Amino acid sequence: MSDRYCVFGNPVGHSKSPAIHAAFAAQCRQDIRYEAILVPRDGFAESVRDFAAAGGRGANVTLPFKEEAYGLTTRLSARAELAGAVNTMVFHHADVFGDNTDGAGLLFDLGVNLSCPIAGKRVLLLGAGGAARGVVGPLLDARPANLVIANRAAARAEDLAQRFAGATSPVGCGYTDLPGMCFDVVINATSASLGGELPPLPSGIFAPGSLAYDMMYGREATPFLAFAAQQGAARLADGLGMLVEQAAEAFLVWRGIRPATAPVLAMLRVALER
Ligand code: ATR
Protein backbone atom coordinates (compact mmCIF):
# COMPACT_ATOMS: atom_id res chain seq x y z
CA MET A 1 0.00 0.00 0.00
CA SER A 2 1.18 3.54 -0.81
CA ASP A 3 2.36 5.76 2.06
CA ARG A 4 -0.22 8.47 2.65
CA TYR A 5 0.43 12.20 2.91
CA CYS A 6 -1.83 15.22 2.65
CA VAL A 7 -2.15 18.97 2.88
CA PHE A 8 -4.55 20.34 5.49
CA GLY A 9 -6.06 23.75 4.76
CA ASN A 10 -9.17 25.89 4.45
CA PRO A 11 -9.61 26.67 1.65
CA VAL A 12 -7.54 23.96 0.01
CA GLY A 13 -9.35 23.24 -3.25
CA HIS A 14 -6.90 25.18 -5.41
CA SER A 15 -3.79 23.84 -3.67
CA LYS A 16 -1.01 22.90 -6.06
CA SER A 17 0.62 20.64 -3.45
CA PRO A 18 -1.00 17.37 -4.66
CA ALA A 19 0.29 17.98 -8.21
CA ILE A 20 3.74 18.98 -6.95
CA HIS A 21 4.14 15.94 -4.71
CA ALA A 22 2.77 13.58 -7.38
CA ALA A 23 5.45 14.91 -9.74
CA PHE A 24 8.16 14.55 -7.07
CA ALA A 25 7.06 10.99 -6.27
CA ALA A 26 7.11 9.96 -9.94
CA GLN A 27 10.53 11.51 -10.44
CA CYS A 28 12.02 9.89 -7.30
CA ARG A 29 10.14 6.59 -7.74
CA GLN A 30 8.49 6.88 -4.34
CA ASP A 31 5.23 5.04 -3.75
CA ILE A 32 3.16 7.73 -2.05
CA ARG A 33 -0.40 9.02 -2.21
CA TYR A 34 -0.94 12.72 -1.48
CA GLU A 35 -4.34 14.35 -1.13
CA ALA A 36 -5.80 17.74 -0.17
CA ILE A 37 -7.99 17.70 2.94
CA LEU A 38 -10.43 20.54 3.61
CA VAL A 39 -10.49 21.04 7.37
CA PRO A 40 -13.35 22.82 9.18
CA ARG A 41 -12.06 25.97 10.93
CA ASP A 42 -12.61 24.40 14.36
CA GLY A 43 -11.68 20.84 13.38
CA PHE A 44 -7.92 20.85 12.82
CA ALA A 45 -6.86 18.70 15.81
CA GLU A 46 -9.49 16.10 14.98
CA SER A 47 -8.52 15.96 11.30
CA VAL A 48 -4.86 15.45 12.20
CA ARG A 49 -5.72 12.74 14.71
CA ASP A 50 -7.95 10.91 12.21
CA PHE A 51 -5.40 11.08 9.41
CA ALA A 52 -2.56 9.81 11.61
CA ALA A 53 -4.76 7.06 13.08
CA ALA A 54 -5.65 5.91 9.57
CA GLY A 55 -1.94 5.38 8.86
CA GLY A 56 -1.05 8.80 7.42
CA ARG A 57 2.74 9.28 7.45
CA GLY A 58 2.95 13.04 7.17
CA ALA A 59 1.20 16.26 6.21
CA ASN A 60 1.68 19.75 4.97
CA VAL A 61 -0.24 22.50 6.70
CA THR A 62 -1.42 25.66 5.01
CA LEU A 63 -3.56 28.63 5.99
CA PRO A 64 -5.01 29.12 8.53
CA PHE A 65 -3.64 26.21 10.58
CA LYS A 66 0.14 26.68 10.75
CA GLU A 67 0.10 28.12 14.28
CA GLU A 68 -2.37 25.49 15.49
CA ALA A 69 -0.17 22.76 14.02
CA TYR A 70 2.72 24.17 16.06
CA GLY A 71 0.71 23.58 19.22
CA LEU A 72 -0.20 20.00 18.31
CA THR A 73 3.30 18.59 17.95
CA THR A 74 5.21 16.48 20.43
CA ARG A 75 8.58 17.51 18.92
CA LEU A 76 9.70 20.53 16.89
CA SER A 77 12.65 21.31 14.64
CA ALA A 78 14.71 24.35 15.63
CA ARG A 79 13.47 26.24 12.56
CA ALA A 80 9.80 25.52 13.38
CA GLU A 81 10.41 26.61 16.95
CA LEU A 82 11.84 29.92 15.72
CA ALA A 83 9.08 30.43 13.17
CA GLY A 84 6.37 29.71 15.74
CA ALA A 85 4.55 27.83 12.99
CA VAL A 86 4.56 24.38 11.37
CA ASN A 87 4.00 23.63 7.68
CA THR A 88 5.29 20.04 7.68
CA MET A 89 4.27 17.24 10.06
CA VAL A 90 5.58 13.69 10.42
CA PHE A 91 3.50 11.05 12.24
CA HIS A 92 5.14 8.06 13.88
CA HIS A 93 3.05 6.17 16.45
CA ALA A 94 2.27 8.77 19.17
CA ASP A 95 5.06 11.07 17.98
CA VAL A 96 4.03 14.16 16.01
CA PHE A 97 7.09 15.97 14.67
CA GLY A 98 6.65 19.53 13.42
CA ASP A 99 8.95 21.28 10.98
CA ASN A 100 8.84 24.48 8.93
CA THR A 101 10.28 24.46 5.41
CA ASP A 102 8.93 27.85 4.24
CA GLY A 103 12.10 29.80 5.02
CA ALA A 104 14.38 27.16 3.50
CA GLY A 105 12.15 27.18 0.41
CA LEU A 106 12.41 30.95 0.04
CA LEU A 107 16.19 30.93 0.53
CA PHE A 108 16.64 28.12 -2.00
CA ASP A 109 14.50 29.98 -4.54
CA LEU A 110 16.45 33.21 -3.99
CA GLY A 111 19.91 31.67 -3.87
CA VAL A 112 19.68 28.90 -6.46
CA ASN A 113 16.77 29.54 -8.86
CA LEU A 114 17.18 33.33 -8.94
CA SER A 115 20.97 33.43 -8.35
CA CYS A 116 20.43 36.10 -5.72
CA PRO A 117 22.21 34.98 -2.55
CA ILE A 118 21.26 37.09 0.48
CA ALA A 119 24.80 37.36 1.91
CA GLY A 120 25.86 41.00 2.07
CA LYS A 121 22.55 42.32 0.68
CA ARG A 122 20.35 45.05 2.17
CA VAL A 123 17.02 43.29 2.68
CA LEU A 124 13.55 44.72 3.35
CA LEU A 125 10.83 42.32 4.52
CA LEU A 126 7.26 43.62 4.29
CA GLY A 127 4.75 42.28 6.81
CA ALA A 128 4.93 40.89 10.32
CA GLY A 129 2.35 38.09 10.23
CA GLY A 130 2.88 34.35 9.99
CA ALA A 131 4.39 34.43 6.50
CA ALA A 132 7.01 36.99 7.54
CA ARG A 133 7.81 35.28 10.84
CA GLY A 134 8.53 32.00 9.06
CA VAL A 135 11.36 33.47 7.00
CA VAL A 136 13.16 35.86 9.36
CA GLY A 137 15.43 33.18 10.89
CA PRO A 138 16.59 31.70 7.55
CA LEU A 139 17.10 35.21 6.10
CA LEU A 140 19.34 36.15 9.05
CA ASP A 141 21.23 32.84 8.78
CA ALA A 142 22.09 33.83 5.20
CA ARG A 143 23.97 36.89 6.58
CA PRO A 144 22.44 39.92 4.90
CA ALA A 145 24.18 43.30 5.36
CA ASN A 146 21.02 44.29 7.22
CA LEU A 147 17.38 43.28 7.54
CA VAL A 148 14.55 45.78 7.97
CA ILE A 149 11.04 44.53 8.72
CA ALA A 150 8.26 47.00 7.88
CA ASN A 151 4.61 46.62 8.79
CA ARG A 152 1.48 48.79 8.82
CA ALA A 153 1.20 48.14 12.55
CA ALA A 154 4.80 49.13 13.35
CA ALA A 155 4.68 47.61 16.84
CA ARG A 156 4.18 44.13 15.32
CA ALA A 157 7.33 44.58 13.20
CA GLU A 158 9.26 45.84 16.23
CA ASP A 159 8.14 42.81 18.27
CA LEU A 160 9.13 40.44 15.48
CA ALA A 161 12.55 42.06 15.13
CA GLN A 162 13.02 41.84 18.89
CA ARG A 163 12.44 38.07 18.83
CA PHE A 164 15.40 37.66 16.51
CA ALA A 165 17.84 40.06 18.19
CA GLY A 166 21.33 38.61 17.75
CA ALA A 167 24.47 39.04 15.65
CA THR A 168 22.67 40.76 12.74
CA SER A 169 19.74 42.25 14.60
CA PRO A 170 16.77 43.05 12.36
CA VAL A 171 15.14 46.47 12.66
CA GLY A 172 11.35 46.68 12.89
CA CYS A 173 9.51 49.80 11.72
CA GLY A 174 6.45 51.25 10.00
CA TYR A 175 6.15 52.25 6.34
CA THR A 176 6.53 55.92 7.23
CA ASP A 177 10.07 55.17 8.46
CA LEU A 178 11.17 53.88 5.03
CA PRO A 179 11.73 57.09 3.01
CA GLY A 180 15.48 57.59 2.52
CA MET A 181 16.26 53.87 2.82
CA CYS A 182 17.17 51.70 -0.13
CA PHE A 183 17.44 47.92 -0.53
CA ASP A 184 18.90 45.22 -2.80
CA VAL A 185 16.11 42.74 -2.06
CA VAL A 186 12.52 43.63 -1.10
CA ILE A 187 10.30 40.70 -0.09
CA ASN A 188 6.53 41.09 0.20
CA ALA A 189 5.29 38.75 2.95
CA THR A 190 2.06 40.69 3.55
CA SER A 191 -1.32 39.35 2.47
CA ALA A 192 -2.00 42.64 0.61
CA SER A 193 -1.69 41.04 -2.85
CA LEU A 194 -4.53 38.64 -1.97
CA GLY A 195 -6.90 41.60 -1.88
CA GLY A 196 -5.32 43.29 -4.90
CA GLU A 197 -3.74 45.87 -2.59
CA LEU A 198 -0.32 47.44 -2.33
CA PRO A 199 1.48 48.09 0.98
CA PRO A 200 1.98 51.86 1.42
CA LEU A 201 5.54 51.94 0.09
CA PRO A 202 7.41 55.19 -0.58
CA SER A 203 9.37 55.84 -3.79
CA GLY A 204 13.09 55.18 -3.91
CA ILE A 205 13.41 51.98 -1.89
CA PHE A 206 14.67 49.85 -4.80
CA ALA A 207 18.46 50.09 -5.24
CA PRO A 208 19.92 49.78 -8.76
CA GLY A 209 19.99 46.09 -9.68
CA SER A 210 17.51 45.18 -6.93
CA LEU A 211 15.17 42.19 -6.80
CA ALA A 212 11.50 42.49 -5.84
CA TYR A 213 10.01 39.25 -4.55
CA ASP A 214 6.32 38.63 -3.81
CA MET A 215 5.46 35.47 -1.87
CA MET A 216 2.10 35.49 -3.68
CA TYR A 217 1.69 34.47 -7.28
CA GLY A 218 -0.94 34.59 -9.96
CA ARG A 219 -1.50 34.92 -13.65
CA GLU A 220 -0.97 38.68 -13.57
CA ALA A 221 1.82 40.57 -11.79
CA THR A 222 0.77 41.40 -8.22
CA PRO A 223 0.26 45.10 -7.34
CA PHE A 224 3.58 44.95 -5.45
CA LEU A 225 5.51 43.62 -8.46
CA ALA A 226 3.82 46.14 -10.77
CA PHE A 227 4.88 48.94 -8.37
CA ALA A 228 8.43 47.53 -8.19
CA ALA A 229 8.72 47.46 -11.99
CA GLN A 230 7.50 51.05 -12.19
CA GLN A 231 10.00 52.04 -9.46
CA GLY A 232 12.93 50.57 -11.40
CA ALA A 233 13.52 47.23 -9.62
CA ALA A 234 15.80 45.29 -11.97
CA ARG A 235 14.26 41.88 -11.32
CA LEU A 236 10.81 40.64 -10.34
CA ALA A 237 9.92 37.24 -8.88
CA ASP A 238 6.69 35.76 -7.59
CA GLY A 239 6.22 33.05 -4.96
CA LEU A 240 5.76 30.07 -7.26
CA GLY A 241 9.41 29.08 -6.79
CA MET A 242 9.10 29.29 -3.00
CA LEU A 243 6.01 27.08 -3.16
CA VAL A 244 7.85 24.36 -5.07
CA GLU A 245 11.02 24.64 -2.96
CA GLN A 246 9.19 24.43 0.39
CA ALA A 247 7.49 21.32 -0.99
CA ALA A 248 10.84 19.82 -2.01
CA GLU A 249 12.15 20.47 1.51
CA ALA A 250 9.07 18.73 2.97
CA PHE A 251 9.58 15.78 0.61
CA LEU A 252 13.17 15.60 1.85
CA VAL A 253 11.98 15.53 5.47
CA TRP A 254 9.55 12.68 4.71
CA ARG A 255 11.44 10.59 2.16
CA GLY A 256 15.13 11.48 2.60
CA ILE A 257 15.44 12.62 -1.03
CA ARG A 258 15.33 16.17 -2.40
CA PRO A 259 13.67 16.09 -5.83
CA ALA A 260 14.87 18.18 -8.76
CA THR A 261 12.55 21.17 -8.71
CA ALA A 262 13.23 22.88 -12.06
CA PRO A 263 10.96 20.63 -14.18
CA VAL A 264 8.13 20.87 -11.65
CA LEU A 265 8.42 24.65 -11.43
CA ALA A 266 8.40 24.85 -15.24
CA MET A 267 5.26 22.68 -15.36
CA LEU A 268 3.45 24.91 -12.85
CA ARG A 269 4.53 28.07 -14.65
CA VAL A 270 3.07 26.80 -17.91
CA ALA A 271 -0.19 25.81 -16.18
CA LEU A 272 -0.42 29.22 -14.46
CA GLU A 273 0.05 31.17 -17.67
CA ARG A 274 -2.23 29.00 -19.78
P1 ATR B 1 -0.09 35.71 7.24
O1 ATR B 1 -0.06 34.55 8.16
O2 ATR B 1 -0.51 35.42 5.83
O3 ATR B 1 1.16 36.52 7.29
P2 ATR B 1 -1.43 37.54 9.01
O4 ATR B 1 -0.73 36.97 10.20
O5 ATR B 1 -2.88 37.90 9.08
O6 ATR B 1 -1.33 36.59 7.76
O7 ATR B 1 -0.61 38.82 8.53
C1 ATR B 1 -0.96 39.56 7.42
C2 ATR B 1 0.16 40.57 7.17
O8 ATR B 1 -0.15 41.31 5.98
C3 ATR B 1 0.31 41.60 8.26
O9 ATR B 1 1.67 41.98 8.33
C4 ATR B 1 -0.57 42.75 7.76
O10 ATR B 1 -0.20 44.01 8.28
P3 ATR B 1 -0.81 44.52 9.72
O11 ATR B 1 -0.17 43.65 10.78
O12 ATR B 1 -0.38 45.93 9.83
O13 ATR B 1 -2.30 44.33 9.61
C5 ATR B 1 -0.22 42.69 6.30
N1 ATR B 1 -1.21 43.31 5.41
C6 ATR B 1 -2.43 42.84 5.07
N2 ATR B 1 -3.03 43.67 4.17
C7 ATR B 1 -2.16 44.68 3.95
C8 ATR B 1 -2.19 45.86 3.13
N3 ATR B 1 -3.24 46.15 2.35
N4 ATR B 1 -1.11 46.67 3.15
C9 ATR B 1 -0.05 46.38 3.94
N5 ATR B 1 0.04 45.30 4.73
C10 ATR B 1 -1.00 44.47 4.74
Side-chain angles (χ1 to χ4, degrees), residues 63-64 66-67 126-133 150-154 156-157 175 188-200 216:
L63 296 178
K66 291 184 186 185
E67 274 91 4
L126 307 176
R133 196 172 58 208
N151 196 47
R152 271 188 319 203
R156 263 185 108 186
Y175 289 99
N188 184 15
T190 73
S191 52
S193 298
L194 278 179
E197 290 171 1
L198 175 69
M216 302 289 165

Side-chain angles (χ1 to χ4, degrees), residues 4-273:
R4 285 183 66 199
Y5 297 87
C6 72
V7 54
F8 293 117
N10 185 341
V12 81
H14 293 293
S15 172
K16 300 187 191 309
S17 294
I20 294 171
H21 283 283
F24 288 166
Q27 177 200 126
C28 301
R29 298 179 195 282
Q30 296 284 303
D31 185 12
I32 72 165
R33 202 171 100 214
Y34 187 108
E35 65 203 287
I37 296 183
L38 176 65
V39 175
R41 294 273 165 159
D42 58 353
F44 181 67
E46 196 183 343
S47 297
V48 170
R49 217 171 28 242
D50 290 351
F51 186 74
R57 299 283 296 269
N60 284 133
V61 183
T62 187
L63 296 178
F65 300 116
K66 291 184 186 185
E67 274 91 4
E68 209 176 332
Y70 177 90
L72 275 185
T73 54
T74 54
R75 269 186 321 126
L76 283 166
S77 67
R79 57 192 183 178
E81 181 92 61
L82 266 177
V86 159
N87 80 333
T88 302
M89 304 176 97
V90 184
F91 309 120
H92 187 65
H93 302 300
D95 185 44
V96 179
F97 175 66
D99 201 350
N100 192 314
T101 65
D102 286 332
L106 171 67
L107 270 291
F108 198 97
D109 194 33
L110 286 168
V112 179
N113 299 337
L114 298 166
S115 304
C116 179
I118 288 301
K121 300 262 177 19
R122 296 164 292 177
V123 180
L124 172 62
L125 180 65
L126 307 176
R133 196 172 58 208
V135 301
V136 174
L139 279 171
L140 290 172
D141 288 347
R143 306 204 160 277
N146 67 351
L147 175 64
V148 175
I149 305 171
N151 196 47
R152 271 188 319 203
R156 263 185 108 186
E158 286 157 15
D159 286 350
L160 181 56
Q162 196 61 45
R163 279 175 62 123
F164 288 88
T168 318
S169 287
V171 173
C173 65
Y175 289 99
T176 50
D177 298 306
L178 292 178
M181 297 190 210
C182 158
F183 301 91
D184 305 304
V185 179
V186 181
I187 301 166
N188 184 15
T190 73
S191 52
S193 298
L194 278 179
E197 290 171 1
L198 175 69
L201 291 166
S203 299
I205 57 167
F206 294 95
S210 60
L211 169 74
Y213 191 103
D214 200 326
M215 287 193 192
M216 302 289 165
Y217 56 82
R219 204 158 193 269
E220 313 290 336
T222 65
F224 167 70
L225 291 181
F227 173 79
Q230 179 207 328
Q231 285 284 313
R235 301 177 64 201
L236 310 175
D238 69 10
L240 202 63
M242 177 177 172
L243 176 76
V244 175
E245 298 304 341
Q246 64 77 29
E249 294 287 331
F251 197 89
L252 173 65
V253 170
W254 294 328
R255 312 300 297 184
I257 307 169
R258 196 182 200 284
T261 47
V264 181
L265 182 52
M267 174 187 84
L268 291 183
R269 183 67 67 195
V270 168
L272 189 67
E273 282 165 8

